[in-house]
Amino acid sequence: MRVHKIKRRLCAVILTLLIVTGVIVAAGFVQKEKTDNTVFADFGQKKETIVLWYTDDALTDYLNSKALEFYDRTDIRVETKLVSGLEYLEAINRASISESEAPDLYIVSNDSLEKAYLSGLATELTETALVSQEEGFGQAAVNAVTYQGKIVGCPFYFETSALLYNKTYLEQIAQTANESMAESAEEGSEAERNTQITSEALIPATIADILNFADQYSTPENVEYFFRWDVSDIFYNYFFIGNYITVGGAAGDDKSHIDIYNTESIASLKVYQELNQFFSIDTKETTYDTIMQEFLEGKTIYTIATSDCIKRLNEATKNGAFPFEYGIAQLPAINQELTTRGMSVTNALVVNGYSRHKEAANKLIAYLAKEASGDFYEMTGKISAAEQQNYTEEHIQAFVRNYAESVPIPKMVETSNFWVELEICFAKVWGGADANTQIRTLAEKIETQLAGVPVSKEELEDPQVELLPAVEYEDNGELPEES
């Protein structure tokens, strides 16, 4: 009998141990589930999980951080996945069809939105993720994500160009000019003594101003170039012609709204061509990196740069490689007659049309674009497309202003080669080819692609363009107010 009692006690002990062990294992499973972001939640119940795809590793820490915050607020899990940007939409399509880790939402540049929408990979946003000027987005941002009157993505961050200048040099130039005027002034002339040129007056409103400054003032010893930019890349050239051409209208999606060949576009290219004699830049030997390196070394006063320059210059300042102050301003007009307008690319948050979690995806979009954008620049080095952000970095606002006036890159599939063709056009014109002929040829090619039949444009007369109308200086050497 004692043997049986001992056996029964052993069995009870073993059973108890098994139960306790099972509880521990189950608890460990739940804890692991919380850490690994797997689909299964506490007590075996499923929690909603959405998958976000992106291609830029600079976003990784930010997205993972905000995914956790979003989960704490909504109880919706977010799995982020960094993927290759090569054949990006094709990869999303394959995953969506096979339902193998397909994204519920993803980040893509706005020029891909038509292709995404027509492929069923983009859907109109719901009221959860409102995108409008009233909701804190500028017109350029709204246009970038609009397709056929529908908002098919949420503006997330952008890239555009602006005028970058060496502020230290401008202060030195102004000081030297003021000292020179003081020396040449007549003894006791109150008017001459009160005349001062400020460094702010040397921030050019036009390229004509830059040429006049170069002719009017002496430069610091280290300066090799007054104005230099990457003439081989259309992103930095586009502003010359951007105010006078349109491909797809304001939203870049209207096939009936194409205007490339006109008097103003010809005039702008003619001026661009003649700038070659003032700024001899070899398109085969210069790149954006070489241009930026020259600026870092103090060889250049003015250049055209994208927003990545801020981080690069700030880091160089900290380590002593850039012992100057710099400034960022609006893109200059060509002269008093010809204005300019830059290009922008907006990266958008898009809900996959194949997603089974569209409502949750829209909630995440609203959170990322608005509530979670406060520390976006600090964590990613990129500028949020949402307006009214409080930036500690003063130079960001200049890019925000340039973005507001920019032309969003078009999204029409039929004109996807337009930028390559426009870049070729600019390269030929810079090299001496006839501006009228080159822009007309480009217009015919793009319109032929859209129409599906050959299109011939009637040749326009060459406009009479005064290259850079001289700016009149006062007798005291001060620039007039309109400059």
Side-chain angles (χ1 to χ4, degrees), residues 348-363:
L349 291 154
V350 178
V351 176
N352 188 348
Y354 291 93
S355 171
R356 297 179 181 178
H357 307 278
K358 293 185 179 65
E359 183 178 350
N362 273 276
K363 287 180 180 179

Side-chain angles (χ1 to χ4, degrees), residues 129-140:
L130 289 175
V131 174
S132 67
Q133 289 183 280
E134 291 74 19
E135 292 294 321
F137 295 96
Q139 191 61 60

Side-chain angles (χ1 to χ4, degrees), residues 74-87:
T74 64
D75 221 27
I76 299 172
R77 299 185 182 283
V78 180
E79 292 182 359
T80 61
K81 184 175 181 179
L82 176 65
V83 300
S84 170
L86 298 175
E87 297 186 344

Side-chain angles (χ1 to χ4, degrees), residues 340-388:
T340 58
R341 197 175 176 196
M343 180 202 301
S344 64
V345 174
T346 302
N347 283 274
L349 291 154
V350 178
V351 176
N352 188 348
Y354 291 93
S355 171
R356 297 179 181 178
H357 307 278
K358 293 185 179 65
E359 183 178 350
N362 273 276
K363 287 180 180 179
L364 177 59
I365 283 178
Y367 180 73
L368 289 176
K370 299 169 188 175
E371 296 182 63
S373 58
D375 55 354
F376 184 70
Y377 180 78
E378 285 73 16
M379 293 189 71
T380 66
K382 301 179 185 300
I383 306 177
S384 171
E387 292 185 329
Q388 300 175 342

Side-chain angles (χ1 to χ4, degrees), residues 417-438:
N417 66 326
F418 173 67
W419 304 107
V420 174
E421 296 296 337
L422 184 60
E423 191 169 274
I424 293 171
C425 173
F426 265 85
K428 289 181 177 179
V429 170
W430 186 260
D434 181 66
N436 192 325
T437 300
Q438 294 304 315

